[in-house]
Amino acid sequence: MRPGATPAAEFRLMGIVNVTPDSFSDGGLYLDPDAAIAHARDLERDGAAILDIGGESTRPGADPVGAECQLERVLPVIEGLRSAGCAAQLSIDTSTARVAQAALSAGATLVNDVTALRADPEMAGLVADSRADCCLMHMLGAPRTMQRDPHYVDVVGEVKAFLEARMAFAIAAGIDERKILLDPGIGFGKTIEHNLELLRRLDELAALGRPVVIGTSRKSFLGRITGREVDDRVAGTIATNVLAYERGARVFRVHDVAAVGDALAVTAATIATF
Ligand code: HH2
């Protein structure tokens, strides 16, 4: 948070730290651990309450990355942030239990699993035993193929039913309901129309009673609407996050933490005074 700013307790910014060579917007920028740590500290200074650290791109068409390689990328960053006294919550963006386990031992306390505990049979038990927070995200198919003609009859109804079922699965596996965050997975097996309808009707997902995470940052549907390249989509990112806040989202996974944070602080203050 910037000096002099009014604290806005109602939302949390999740800054994206991609320790990957191939992420869609910042691939290769933070593959060096020192560069990733410095970037994460900048995001923390800009107001990120959570830092989401990932060693595997899940962009459309991406190939899976093995546990060993993910660990080589993310562990030095988590350890470095902890020893530097970073106060933000550390989140590990992985679907692999071995990676999550090592990240949790090194100081992460949130598991962001884009498969909602479906990819690795060990993941749910690990999250339950560690008492970590857990983000369950909707995805249709797998990153390699998910954008090949995704189809829904009622995208919001289907995403909601999926998240409800995954939450029930997580609770049955011993995960405390209060630790669960839910995410509609913008861009994960969705057309532009699907993404926009999910944003428009986000209140229906917020009605599930758990904090909704939203991840629109710099994504391709914003480029399709504005004609802007990936590094020039901050205005589109802000528009979608402000709308998502108004519809009940409370955790915002973004690259541009300072800009989105300012927009949300003003939105939250304005809504609070009505
Ligand atoms: N989006 C991406 C990755 N992880 N996790 C959640 N919970 N929600 C999201 O919307 C989400 C996510 C993709 O974005 P990014 O990390 O910027 O790119 P890449 O997957 O290419 O590394």
Side-chain angles (χ1 to χ4, degrees):
M1 167 142 314
R2 277 76 54 217
T6 309
E10 279 183 73
F11 63 86
R12 278 179 293 161
L13 293 157
M14 181 189 236
I16 300 171
V17 184
N18 284 324
V19 195
T20 59
D22 58 343
S23 286
F24 77 92
S25 92
D26 52 4
L29 289 181
Y30 309 115
L31 201 50
D32 169 58
D34 290 337
I37 292 166
H39 178 58
R41 306 276 354 228
D42 284 345
L43 296 179
E44 187 191 7
R45 265 187 295 278
D46 285 345
I50 306 168
L51 295 167
D52 190 34
I53 300 153
E56 174 181 44
S57 171
T58 47
R59 74 186 194 289
D63 282 318
V65 174
E68 219 45 64
C69 179
Q70 288 187 53
L71 283 171
E72 265 172 39
R73 292 174 181 174
V74 298
L75 268 191
V77 178
I78 294 171
E79 284 162 358
L81 286 170
R82 271 294 157 257
S83 55
C86 170
Q89 179 176 27
L90 301 185
S91 164
I92 175 70
D93 188 351
T94 189
S95 309
T96 310
R98 227 178 103 222
V99 177
Q101 179 153 39
L104 293 169
S105 301
T109 55
L110 195 166
V111 176
N112 176 26
D113 182 351
V114 296
T115 74
L117 312 175
R118 291 177 297 158
D120 189 326
E122 308 289 320
M123 190 66 117
L126 168 70
V127 174
D129 292 346
S130 65
R131 297 193 169 79
D133 293 330
C134 177
C135 179
L136 304 175
M137 195 196 82
H138 176 273
M139 168 164 49
L140 186 68
R144 210 169 184 351
T145 53
M146 65 191 177
Q147 289 307 99
R148 289 186 198 155
D149 197 24
H151 181 78
Y152 303 84
V153 174
D154 167 16
V155 65
V156 178
E158 287 168 52
V159 168
K160 183 174 180 181
F162 171 90
L163 292 176
E164 250 177 325
R166 296 316 295 165
M167 190 155 58
F169 171 86
I171 292 165
I175 297 173
D176 185 339
E177 182 172 351
R178 291 167 302 183
K179 300 278 184 183
I180 297 175
L181 309 168
L182 301 174
D183 185 333
I186 296 295
F188 285 84
K190 282 131 192 142
T191 62
I192 293 191
E193 290 72 25
H194 296 142
N195 291 329
L196 296 179
E197 186 162 0
L198 281 162
L199 286 167
R200 200 159 42 237
R201 294 172 53 194
L202 209 58
D203 52 329
E204 296 175 41
L205 304 183
L208 290 171
R210 298 303 312 147
V212 171
V213 179
I214 196 81
T216 62
S217 194
R218 301 183 184 174
K219 284 187 178 171
S220 66
F221 77 109
L222 302 174
R224 293 272 302 280
I225 294 170
T226 60
R228 302 276 180 199
E229 291 303 321
V230 71
D231 286 341
D232 208 9
R233 294 179 188 158
V234 68
T237 299
I238 288 172
T240 48
N241 282 291
V242 165
L243 182 90
Y245 177 86
E246 192 269 334
R247 304 282 149 104
R250 287 297 174 263
V251 180
F252 300 85
R253 185 180 182 280
V254 291
H255 302 86
D256 305 288
V257 167
V260 176
D262 284 0
L264 290 176
V266 173
T267 306
T270 308
I271 289 174
T273 56
F274 271 95

